Amino acid sequence: MTIRRSLLTVIAAVGASLVPLSSATAAPAASEPVYSYAAAVRETVWVDTGLTSPQGARVRVAADIVRPSTPASVKVPVIMDASPYYTSLGRGNESQKKTYDSAGKPIQFPLFYDNYFVPRGYAIVLVDLSGTARSNGCVDVGGRSEIASAKSVIDWLNGRATGYTSATGTTRATSGWSTGAVGMIGKSWDGTIANGVAATGVDGLKTIVPIGAISSWYDYYRAHGATLNAGTPSALAARVENAQGKQNCASVKSALDSGSPSNGNMTAMWRDRDYVASAANIKASVFVVHGVNDLNVKSINFGQWWAALPASVERKIWLSQTGHVDPFDFRRSVWVDTLHRWFDHYLRGVDNGVQNEPRASVEHKPDVWTTSAAWPAVTGPKYLYAHPSSTAGVGVLNGAPPPPAEIPLWANFTDNRSSEYSWITNPTSTSSARLLYSSPAMAADNRISGTPRVTITATSTSSAARLTAVLVDLGPATIRDYRGSGEGITTLSTRSCWGESTPGDSACFLDTATSTTSTSANIISRGWADLGHYASLDSRATLTSGTPYRITFNLASTDQVIPAGHKLALVIGSTDSAYIGSAGNYPKIGVDLTKTVLHIPMTGTF
């Protein structure tokens, strides 16, 4: 056994060191668990970000490291998760936090990455973003300081930045154990930082795996000018900042407030946190994971990010029917295997073919996955139009443009601050709060894949008004219960193990199961807008009563199949109280159906 382990260690070391291959040298093999997790090196390095705090102190971020104990000649790649949550909300389905021994040495790392990958020859680096946990500086919610928090650690791993053995000391720490190849991973805010760092084009970052991640902070807090019910950036900062941040960072939180006005205007602060705008800089491969029913980080974030990736970037995408859920909790064994092969290929140079597999894996029914060579699976939109019927506010949705008319065809409703869920309860009946237009029954399954848009021409009796557009699958179905407490999963009492454990860090995690519910009306995409932003996001216009305004806005990026026999409905309302705030009044809205159209990436017709 000792001889076999020694031999495997040598084999793994060759692969991990990433020595350039000659024609006579075998390609690196898939990584195997040949290193002892119990004997791993555990340390913390404080990396100088090059920035200063409001008090003028240099900002150092804490990078906690668990890496295999290897000979000096053996270098290992790095998997990094940079997060603000390690001592506040925790990470994963069990809200795990970092723990340390009495000397401050890392003991428990949240999630399975360290337990599984360290024995396979990877270092795991968990970075405390500026102003959180053991890092100084301030939380700036996706801004320059947070991106520098992670980027500077990549620079340190590649010899371009300075690390120290303590938070304030002068003894330097080196990274001679690292190959310099880094993969960033993380869910939610963590994955958002991975997006932002990738958009800098930093050398050494080989791949990112953003899970339920933000690509533009404007689109986390605003929807085409409408205020989403997501709180404020300053409140989010206050939720995760450490004690020195609470004491020293009032000016940063004040800047967040002034940069996020309630009128929905695009500001310099929002532009600084728009990683889509810098996506052309990306050199790393990208493995996107997102729930199409994620009502926390709305799915428009992955859709616009994916569309902005340079053609040269190798990529993969998983889309689940869950809400804001990690793939470890909805597709565990397949996820671990796929992630392992992904990191082996992009961080260790293993030619395992993962880059040649279908780019897209999409869940259309609970636990039923479909692969596609590309995403979106539909190229180019179809155009659908709303037509009135004898029932007020209810009509037909089809591909026939309205007949030419010199006078508008108006349909009216009143903003009563109800929600999209009340609007769809009686889809064949008149409602004073919405309009609803449904297609004929589908003759065959019809796939919607991509980002729908809607153009609405509307009037308002008030100087400000919201608009909501919702797409609904009308027909009986069993779906993931994404609105339930588990957002499509149920947590069980049993555990399964993924890697090696130590007394302070277990590799065994609570199992999960799919949680489903029955429905006859499933909302598959929604979008919101402030009508005053009809011309631009830069400035909100004051509306004149009775004047028609034409506005086009995106709905949520999605991938859904409308089954044969079901109908597709377009619902138009005003304040969707479940997700957006009102404009401060109760306007009557008029919609000109002759100048209203749904742009939808759809395979078939009806």
mmCIF file of all heavy atoms in Angstrom, residues 282-311:
data_model
loop_
_atom_site.group_PDB
_atom_site.id
_atom_site.type_symbol
_atom_site.label_atom_id
_atom_site.label_comp_id
_atom_site.label_asym_id
_atom_site.label_seq_id
_atom_site.Cartn_x
_atom_site.Cartn_y
_atom_site.Cartn_z
ATOM 1 N N ILE A 282 -12.304 39.244 -21.024
ATOM 2 C CA ILE A 282 -12.239 37.911 -20.431
ATOM 3 C C ILE A 282 -11.383 36.979 -21.275
ATOM 4 O O ILE A 282 -11.561 36.862 -22.484
ATOM 5 C CB ILE A 282 -13.657 37.321 -20.265
ATOM 6 C CG1 ILE A 282 -14.472 38.186 -19.305
ATOM 7 C CG2 ILE A 282 -13.600 35.875 -19.766
ATOM 8 C CD1 ILE A 282 -15.922 37.804 -19.217
ATOM 9 N N LYS A 283 -10.453 36.292 -20.595
ATOM 10 C CA LYS A 283 -9.626 35.268 -21.226
ATOM 11 C C LYS A 283 -9.873 33.890 -20.620
ATOM 12 O O LYS A 283 -9.585 32.875 -21.251
ATOM 13 C CB LYS A 283 -8.144 35.635 -21.079
ATOM 14 C CG LYS A 283 -7.752 36.929 -21.787
ATOM 15 C CD LYS A 283 -6.282 37.265 -21.584
ATOM 16 C CE LYS A 283 -5.974 37.692 -20.174
ATOM 17 N NZ LYS A 283 -4.591 38.174 -19.986
ATOM 18 N N ALA A 284 -10.374 33.857 -19.409
ATOM 19 C CA ALA A 284 -10.620 32.592 -18.714
ATOM 20 C C ALA A 284 -11.826 31.875 -19.321
ATOM 21 O O ALA A 284 -12.741 32.515 -19.855
ATOM 22 C CB ALA A 284 -10.883 32.858 -17.232
ATOM 23 N N SER A 285 -11.832 30.551 -19.227
ATOM 24 C CA SER A 285 -13.035 29.803 -19.598
ATOM 25 C C SER A 285 -14.115 30.070 -18.559
ATOM 26 O O SER A 285 -13.832 30.479 -17.429
ATOM 27 C CB SER A 285 -12.730 28.311 -19.700
ATOM 28 O OG SER A 285 -12.343 27.786 -18.440
ATOM 29 N N VAL A 286 -15.380 29.837 -18.933
ATOM 30 C CA VAL A 286 -16.511 30.195 -18.075
ATOM 31 C C VAL A 286 -17.495 29.027 -18.026
ATOM 32 O O VAL A 286 -17.941 28.540 -19.065
ATOM 33 C CB VAL A 286 -17.221 31.463 -18.599
ATOM 34 C CG1 VAL A 286 -18.420 31.800 -17.721
ATOM 35 C CG2 VAL A 286 -16.251 32.642 -18.671
ATOM 36 N N PHE A 287 -17.828 28.599 -16.814
ATOM 37 C CA PHE A 287 -18.829 27.558 -16.584
ATOM 38 C C PHE A 287 -19.946 28.187 -15.758
ATOM 39 O O PHE A 287 -19.837 28.347 -14.553
ATOM 40 C CB PHE A 287 -18.192 26.378 -15.855
ATOM 41 C CG PHE A 287 -19.064 25.150 -15.684
ATOM 42 C CD1 PHE A 287 -18.518 23.976 -15.188
ATOM 43 C CD2 PHE A 287 -20.416 25.147 -16.009
ATOM 44 C CE1 PHE A 287 -19.286 22.831 -15.022
ATOM 45 C CE2 PHE A 287 -21.212 24.019 -15.854
ATOM 46 C CZ PHE A 287 -20.636 22.852 -15.344
ATOM 47 N N VAL A 288 -21.026 28.588 -16.432
ATOM 48 C CA VAL A 288 -22.147 29.278 -15.787
ATOM 49 C C VAL A 288 -23.137 28.248 -15.243
ATOM 50 O O VAL A 288 -23.488 27.291 -15.935
ATOM 51 C CB VAL A 288 -22.862 30.206 -16.785
ATOM 52 C CG1 VAL A 288 -24.171 30.720 -16.211
ATOM 53 C CG2 VAL A 288 -21.955 31.366 -17.191
ATOM 54 N N VAL A 289 -23.604 28.470 -14.021
ATOM 55 C CA VAL A 289 -24.696 27.688 -13.443
ATOM 56 C C VAL A 289 -25.719 28.662 -12.891
ATOM 57 O O VAL A 289 -25.370 29.586 -12.145
ATOM 58 C CB VAL A 289 -24.198 26.759 -12.319
ATOM 59 C CG1 VAL A 289 -25.355 25.927 -11.782
ATOM 60 C CG2 VAL A 289 -23.076 25.855 -12.805
ATOM 61 N N HIS A 290 -26.985 28.467 -13.267
ATOM 62 C CA HIS A 290 -28.016 29.390 -12.799
ATOM 63 C C HIS A 290 -29.362 28.690 -12.792
ATOM 64 O O HIS A 290 -29.628 27.822 -13.626
ATOM 65 C CB HIS A 290 -28.098 30.630 -13.695
ATOM 66 C CG HIS A 290 -28.426 31.892 -12.969
ATOM 67 N ND1 HIS A 290 -27.490 32.878 -12.720
ATOM 68 C CD2 HIS A 290 -29.572 32.346 -12.406
ATOM 69 C CE1 HIS A 290 -28.052 33.880 -12.070
ATOM 70 N NE2 HIS A 290 -29.328 33.571 -11.858
ATOM 71 N N GLY A 291 -30.213 29.055 -11.857
ATOM 72 C CA GLY A 291 -31.591 28.599 -11.852
ATOM 73 C C GLY A 291 -32.451 29.546 -12.665
ATOM 74 O O GLY A 291 -32.419 30.757 -12.425
ATOM 75 N N VAL A 292 -33.207 29.016 -13.614
ATOM 76 C CA VAL A 292 -34.056 29.907 -14.410
ATOM 77 C C VAL A 292 -35.197 30.475 -13.566
ATOM 78 O O VAL A 292 -35.851 31.442 -13.970
ATOM 79 C CB VAL A 292 -34.624 29.199 -15.663
ATOM 80 C CG1 VAL A 292 -33.511 28.816 -16.620
ATOM 81 C CG2 VAL A 292 -35.466 27.986 -15.294
ATOM 82 N N ASN A 293 -35.428 29.889 -12.396
ATOM 83 C CA ASN A 293 -36.434 30.401 -11.468
ATOM 84 C C ASN A 293 -35.797 31.100 -10.272
ATOM 85 O O ASN A 293 -36.416 31.200 -9.209
ATOM 86 C CB ASN A 293 -37.330 29.256 -10.993
ATOM 87 C CG ASN A 293 -38.178 28.699 -12.115
ATOM 88 O OD1 ASN A 293 -38.815 29.440 -12.851
ATOM 89 N ND2 ASN A 293 -38.171 27.384 -12.278
ATOM 90 N N ASP A 294 -34.575 31.582 -10.437
ATOM 91 C CA ASP A 294 -33.884 32.309 -9.374
ATOM 92 C C ASP A 294 -34.522 33.691 -9.242
ATOM 93 O O ASP A 294 -34.407 34.532 -10.136
ATOM 94 C CB ASP A 294 -32.400 32.431 -9.711
ATOM 95 C CG ASP A 294 -31.560 32.933 -8.546
ATOM 96 O OD1 ASP A 294 -32.124 33.600 -7.651
ATOM 97 O OD2 ASP A 294 -30.347 32.667 -8.529
ATOM 98 N N LEU A 295 -35.202 33.913 -8.127
ATOM 99 C CA LEU A 295 -35.865 35.190 -7.892
ATOM 100 C C LEU A 295 -35.083 36.063 -6.922
ATOM 101 O O LEU A 295 -35.561 37.115 -6.495
ATOM 102 C CB LEU A 295 -37.290 34.944 -7.369
ATOM 103 C CG LEU A 295 -38.171 34.189 -8.377
ATOM 104 C CD1 LEU A 295 -39.497 33.799 -7.752
ATOM 105 C CD2 LEU A 295 -38.390 35.034 -9.626
ATOM 106 N N ASN A 296 -33.858 35.636 -6.608
ATOM 107 C CA ASN A 296 -32.927 36.457 -5.859
ATOM 108 C C ASN A 296 -32.004 37.151 -6.859
ATOM 109 O O ASN A 296 -32.144 38.344 -7.122
ATOM 110 C CB ASN A 296 -32.152 35.586 -4.862
ATOM 111 C CG ASN A 296 -31.116 36.355 -4.074
ATOM 112 O OD1 ASN A 296 -30.886 37.541 -4.281
ATOM 113 N ND2 ASN A 296 -30.451 35.677 -3.161
ATOM 114 N N VAL A 297 -31.071 36.410 -7.425
ATOM 115 C CA VAL A 297 -30.259 36.942 -8.527
ATOM 116 C C VAL A 297 -31.007 36.586 -9.807
ATOM 117 O O VAL A 297 -30.950 35.459 -10.297
ATOM 118 C CB VAL A 297 -28.847 36.339 -8.521
ATOM 119 C CG1 VAL A 297 -28.044 36.869 -9.714
ATOM 120 C CG2 VAL A 297 -28.133 36.670 -7.227
ATOM 121 N N LYS A 298 -31.721 37.550 -10.341
ATOM 122 C CA LYS A 298 -32.610 37.295 -11.474
ATOM 123 C C LYS A 298 -31.813 36.768 -12.669
ATOM 124 O O LYS A 298 -30.654 37.128 -12.889
ATOM 125 C CB LYS A 298 -33.357 38.568 -11.875
ATOM 126 C CG LYS A 298 -34.025 39.312 -10.721
ATOM 127 C CD LYS A 298 -35.107 38.531 -10.046
ATOM 128 C CE LYS A 298 -35.915 39.362 -9.048
ATOM 129 N NZ LYS A 298 -35.157 39.821 -7.868
ATOM 130 N N SER A 299 -32.457 35.930 -13.446
ATOM 131 C CA SER A 299 -31.748 35.202 -14.497
ATOM 132 C C SER A 299 -31.286 36.083 -15.653
ATOM 133 O O SER A 299 -30.473 35.643 -16.473
ATOM 134 C CB SER A 299 -32.614 34.054 -15.022
ATOM 135 O OG SER A 299 -33.825 34.538 -15.568
ATOM 136 N N ILE A 300 -31.747 37.333 -15.729
ATOM 137 C CA ILE A 300 -31.203 38.226 -16.741
ATOM 138 C C ILE A 300 -29.695 38.359 -16.567
ATOM 139 O O ILE A 300 -28.954 38.605 -17.531
ATOM 140 C CB ILE A 300 -31.880 39.619 -16.676
ATOM 141 C CG1 ILE A 300 -31.476 40.491 -17.871
ATOM 142 C CG2 ILE A 300 -31.588 40.308 -15.367
ATOM 143 C CD1 ILE A 300 -31.909 39.960 -19.208
ATOM 144 N N ASN A 301 -29.213 38.141 -15.328
ATOM 145 C CA ASN A 301 -27.783 38.273 -15.053
ATOM 146 C C ASN A 301 -26.955 37.256 -15.806
ATOM 147 O O ASN A 301 -25.890 37.574 -16.330
ATOM 148 C CB ASN A 301 -27.533 38.179 -13.546
ATOM 149 C CG ASN A 301 -27.835 39.469 -12.832
ATOM 150 O OD1 ASN A 301 -27.016 40.373 -12.795
ATOM 151 N ND2 ASN A 301 -29.027 39.552 -12.267
ATOM 152 N N PHE A 302 -27.416 36.007 -15.880
ATOM 153 C CA PHE A 302 -26.630 35.038 -16.639
ATOM 154 C C PHE A 302 -26.840 35.224 -18.132
ATOM 155 O O PHE A 302 -25.911 35.028 -18.921
ATOM 156 C CB PHE A 302 -26.960 33.590 -16.221
ATOM 157 C CG PHE A 302 -28.113 32.957 -16.946
ATOM 158 C CD1 PHE A 302 -27.965 32.477 -18.247
ATOM 159 C CD2 PHE A 302 -29.347 32.814 -16.345
ATOM 160 C CE1 PHE A 302 -29.038 31.881 -18.919
ATOM 161 C CE2 PHE A 302 -30.409 32.223 -16.998
ATOM 162 C CZ PHE A 302 -30.258 31.763 -18.298
ATOM 163 N N GLY A 303 -28.039 35.622 -18.552
ATOM 164 C CA GLY A 303 -28.310 35.759 -19.978
ATOM 165 C C GLY A 303 -27.459 36.817 -20.640
ATOM 166 O O GLY A 303 -26.859 36.593 -21.699
ATOM 167 N N GLN A 304 -27.363 37.980 -20.015
ATOM 168 C CA GLN A 304 -26.569 39.058 -20.617
ATOM 169 C C GLN A 304 -25.074 38.780 -20.490
ATOM 170 O O GLN A 304 -24.285 39.174 -21.359
ATOM 171 C CB GLN A 304 -26.935 40.396 -19.979
ATOM 172 C CG GLN A 304 -26.657 40.508 -18.500
ATOM 173 C CD GLN A 304 -27.299 41.735 -17.870
ATOM 174 O OE1 GLN A 304 -28.088 42.440 -18.504
ATOM 175 N NE2 GLN A 304 -26.969 42.013 -16.618
ATOM 176 N N TRP A 305 -24.663 38.078 -19.437
ATOM 177 C CA TRP A 305 -23.255 37.714 -19.270
ATOM 178 C C TRP A 305 -22.835 36.731 -20.352
ATOM 179 O O TRP A 305 -21.802 36.907 -21.011
ATOM 180 C CB TRP A 305 -23.069 37.118 -17.881
ATOM 181 C CG TRP A 305 -21.677 36.701 -17.515
ATOM 182 C CD1 TRP A 305 -21.228 35.436 -17.297
ATOM 183 C CD2 TRP A 305 -20.546 37.551 -17.298
ATOM 184 N NE1 TRP A 305 -19.898 35.437 -16.961
ATOM 185 C CE2 TRP A 305 -19.455 36.724 -16.942
ATOM 186 C CE3 TRP A 305 -20.350 38.931 -17.353
ATOM 187 C CZ2 TRP A 305 -18.189 37.240 -16.663
ATOM 188 C CZ3 TRP A 305 -19.087 39.436 -17.070
ATOM 189 C CH2 TRP A 305 -18.027 38.600 -16.733
ATOM 190 N N TRP A 306 -23.642 35.717 -20.543
ATOM 191 C CA TRP A 306 -23.351 34.699 -21.567
ATOM 192 C C TRP A 306 -23.266 35.341 -22.947
ATOM 193 O O TRP A 306 -22.364 35.042 -23.734
ATOM 194 C CB TRP A 306 -24.425 33.623 -21.524
ATOM 195 C CG TRP A 306 -24.220 32.465 -22.442
ATOM 196 C CD1 TRP A 306 -24.718 32.322 -23.712
ATOM 197 C CD2 TRP A 306 -23.466 31.270 -22.186
ATOM 198 N NE1 TRP A 306 -24.334 31.120 -24.246
ATOM 199 C CE2 TRP A 306 -23.563 30.460 -23.335
ATOM 200 C CE3 TRP A 306 -22.730 30.815 -21.104
ATOM 201 C CZ2 TRP A 306 -22.941 29.207 -23.412
ATOM 202 C CZ3 TRP A 306 -22.110 29.579 -21.180
ATOM 203 C CH2 TRP A 306 -22.221 28.800 -22.327
ATOM 204 N N ALA A 307 -24.205 36.234 -23.251
ATOM 205 C CA ALA A 307 -24.229 36.874 -24.565
ATOM 206 C C ALA A 307 -23.024 37.768 -24.794
ATOM 207 O O ALA A 307 -22.609 37.972 -25.944
ATOM 208 C CB ALA A 307 -25.517 37.684 -24.721
ATOM 209 N N ALA A 308 -22.444 38.300 -23.717
ATOM 210 C CA ALA A 308 -21.325 39.234 -23.851
ATOM 211 C C ALA A 308 -19.969 38.554 -23.906
ATOM 212 O O ALA A 308 -18.968 39.208 -24.213
ATOM 213 C CB ALA A 308 -21.344 40.229 -22.692
ATOM 214 N N LEU A 309 -19.898 37.249 -23.613
ATOM 215 C CA LEU A 309 -18.607 36.574 -23.609
ATOM 216 C C LEU A 309 -17.980 36.608 -25.002
ATOM 217 O O LEU A 309 -18.667 36.372 -26.001
ATOM 218 C CB LEU A 309 -18.768 35.114 -23.164
ATOM 219 C CG LEU A 309 -19.236 34.874 -21.730
ATOM 220 C CD1 LEU A 309 -19.408 33.376 -21.480
ATOM 221 C CD2 LEU A 309 -18.263 35.474 -20.722
ATOM 222 N N PRO A 310 -16.690 36.894 -25.095
ATOM 223 C CA PRO A 310 -16.033 36.871 -26.401
ATOM 224 C C PRO A 310 -16.148 35.484 -27.045
ATOM 225 O O PRO A 310 -16.175 34.460 -26.349
ATOM 226 C CB PRO A 310 -14.578 37.212 -26.070
ATOM 227 C CG PRO A 310 -14.626 37.928 -24.763
ATOM 228 C CD PRO A 310 -15.762 37.312 -24.018
ATOM 229 N N ALA A 311 -16.194 35.459 -28.351
ATOM 230 C CA ALA A 311 -16.333 34.190 -29.072
ATOM 231 C C ALA A 311 -15.182 33.239 -28.770
ATOM 232 O O ALA A 311 -15.337 32.015 -28.850
ATOM 233 C CB ALA A 311 -16.418 34.462 -30.572
#
